Structures are given as C-alpha cells and as structure tokens.
Amino acid sequence: MRIVRAIFGHVSGRIGGVIVLIYILLAILGTLGVTPRDPLMQNRIDRLHAPSLTYWMGTDLFGRDVASRLMHGIGESFTVAFFSVAVATLIGTLLGLTAAWSGKRWDGVIMRAMDVLLAFPAILLALLIIAIVGPGTWTSVAAIAIVYTPIFTRVVRGPTLSLKARDFVDAARTFGSSRSYILTRHLLLNLVAPLTVQVTLALAWSLLTEAGLSFLGLGTQPPASSLGLMLSDSRNLMETAPWLLIFPGVTIMISILGFNLLGDALRDILDPKMRRATV
C-alpha cells in the first residue's frame, strides 16, 4: 500500500496511474464481452453513423458500434501487450541472471545472442518472425516477447554483476547458501525496482508494436478488433468518417502516455538517485 500511496502522491504517477487503471478496466470489460453492443454485430442501416447518443463513437462501414469495438480492441491489444511483456520479463530475467552468474563463457554466448537481436529494429524483427510463423494474436505475443527479451536481459545482467561482488553475497556463500537461494533471495529481490520500471515502459512499447503489426494486417485478424486494425480499416474513410481514425488513434496515444507517466513516477520513487520532490 505504501507504493500505491507514493505513486498517487507523485504528479506523473497520479495521472498515469488513473489512465492505466481506466484502460485495464476497459480491457477486462472488453475481453469479457461487457460492451454496450456486440462488437461483431453488423447493422447495414446505421453504417457510418456519426457519434450520437445512440452510438457514442459512431459506427463503422459495416454498421458496427465503434465504442464496443474499441473496448474489445483495448482488450485484445492489452492481452498481447501483457502476455508478451510477461514472457519477455521471465526469459530476460533468467538469461540475465545466468549470464552474470555463470562467468565469461555463458556470459559471452548469451550477450552476443542478445546483441544480434538488438541489431534489428524492433518492428522489423517482429515482422520477420511473423512472416516465418504466420499472422495471429499469439504469434504477435511470441514475436513481441522475442523482440523485448534482450532489453530485460541487459537490465538484469548489469546490476547482477555488481551485486554478486557485494559482501552480503560473499557472506551467503560462506554460510553455505545454495546458488538458487542466493539468486532468488539476495539478487532477484534487489532487481525488483529496475524490473518494475522496465516492465511499465515495455508495456507502452509493446502496445505500440502490437498496433503497428495489426495495422499492417499481421497481428489480430478480422473479424476481431484491435486498435491497430481499427486504424487500418479507417484509412480510406478519413474524410467521410473521421471518427473511425480519431478514436482509435487517441486511444493508443493516451494508453502509451499513461504507461510512460507511470514508469517515470516509478523510476523516481524506486530509485533513490532519481527521486525528486513529489506533490
């Protein structure tokens, strides 16, 4: 609870936290199908209906309710983002700990492999993976996870190299503590702060990457909706139905802003060197 109070006592944390909580709620409702209307139901009579009291955000080319599809799209996009970041965090943490603890041989092999992955721009590497495996929601999860694993590996490896030379680690070895005990209780617990900040920022990046993949038709496939897919569908209707472009675009922008503000607040709160006065 102390961290929650600290977040909401920080200007960026307060704004970002509220945005993220609202989006998470919308994502849960959208995933469970608790939307104003069926996001897949077509109503040809009301096609391209402008925003009104009946359709809060208008309708699309097939008469589907944009607000309902937006909630469903947030659910799809957040599912990809959260699962991909969870996988990247788990694998990256294990690789980073292994590289730092095992010495030069494994450190060299693991980090050179990570350097190869980092040599590719994130979206291009994700496109390459999807081109090999095929498009789809869970393919996007795997591709984004692979893209962001090297970042978590580097975030974990650096501090671990410093921590394993500390006196408390030598003391744990002297008292006969096992390697797994030292890694989990002495090293991993000290990595919670940088990992938390990195996870928050990675969620923003993965949302943007997922939107880009769906925009190109390589992420979530129709008739399901995602934020990037909704943007793609609205490209030829910008002049006649601008709401189809505005609402998904603003939704993506605000979601990324929220995670970035929350990450900025967490960095200030969890890192004493970066801590500044909070309001």
Side-chain angles (χ1 to χ4, degrees):
M1 293 301 295
R2 185 170 61 181
I3 185 66
V4 174
R5 289 195 297 269
I7 289 173
F8 282 92
H10 191 287
V11 176
S12 296
R14 189 160 52 243
I15 299 172
V18 169
I19 292 173
V20 169
L21 287 175
I22 291 174
Y23 271 82
I24 290 175
L25 177 61
L26 291 175
I28 293 172
L29 293 176
T31 301
L32 296 176
V34 185
T35 55
R37 290 179 173 79
D38 184 349
L40 302 180
M41 184 179 67
Q42 300 183 14
N43 187 352
R44 298 283 182 157
I45 297 176
D46 289 335
R47 61 192 297 269
L48 296 181
H49 195 289
S52 64
L53 293 178
T54 304
Y55 298 104
W56 303 338
M57 296 183 180
T59 61
D60 63 7
L61 187 61
F62 301 101
R64 297 173 296 191
D65 181 39
V66 172
S68 300
R69 288 184 61 77
L70 199 64
M71 290 179 64
H72 187 261
I74 292 173
E76 288 285 335
S77 297
F78 269 56
T79 297
V80 173
F82 276 98
F83 273 100
S84 60
V85 171
V87 173
T89 303
L90 177 60
I91 297 176
T93 299
L94 292 175
L95 290 176
L97 287 172
T98 302
W101 185 264
S102 299
K104 291 185 178 180
R105 178 177 298 179
W106 281 107
D107 187 26
V109 171
I110 292 173
M111 296 316 297
R112 295 301 75 75
M114 296 301 103
D115 289 341
V116 170
L117 293 177
L118 286 171
F120 292 90
I123 190 67
L124 290 182
L125 181 57
L127 287 173
L128 175 62
I129 296 169
I130 292 177
I132 295 172
V133 181
T137 299
W138 293 108
T139 305
S140 297
V141 170
I144 295 173
I146 292 172
V147 166
Y148 292 116
T149 292
I151 297 175
F152 284 97
T153 303
R154 285 182 170 274
V155 167
V156 170
R157 173 182 173 270
T160 302
L161 286 172
S162 175
L163 288 170
K164 79 171 188 176
R166 302 284 292 274
D167 292 340
F168 64 85
V169 175
D170 291 335
R173 287 171 172 165
T174 302
F175 284 108
S177 298
S178 65
R179 181 173 60 179
S180 60
Y181 182 87
I182 295 173
L183 288 174
T184 54
R185 294 298 299 272
H186 292 289
L187 298 182
L188 192 56
L189 286 179
N190 283 286
L191 297 172
V192 170
L195 276 176
T196 301
V197 176
Q198 189 60 48
V199 164
T200 308
L201 298 176
L203 285 170
W205 302 336
S206 60
L207 281 172
L208 187 60
T209 304
E210 190 280 333
L213 293 174
S214 295
F215 183 84
L216 296 173
L218 299 174
T220 302
Q221 298 297 297
S225 62
S226 76
L227 300 177
L229 188 59
M230 293 179 71
L231 278 177
S232 179
D233 292 340
S234 66
R235 283 179 298 174
N236 298 325
L237 300 169
M238 288 188 291
E239 295 183 1
T240 57
W243 60 87
L244 296 178
L245 179 69
I246 292 173
F247 288 121
V250 171
T251 300
I252 294 172
M253 180 188 71
I254 294 177
S255 66
I256 294 172
L257 175 65
F259 278 111
N260 280 324
L261 289 175
L262 183 59
D264 181 67
L266 286 171
R267 180 192 61 188
D268 293 342
I269 293 167
L270 297 175
D271 187 354
K273 295 179 181 179
M274 298 295 296
R275 188 176 295 142
R276 58 173 180 259
T278 57
V279 179

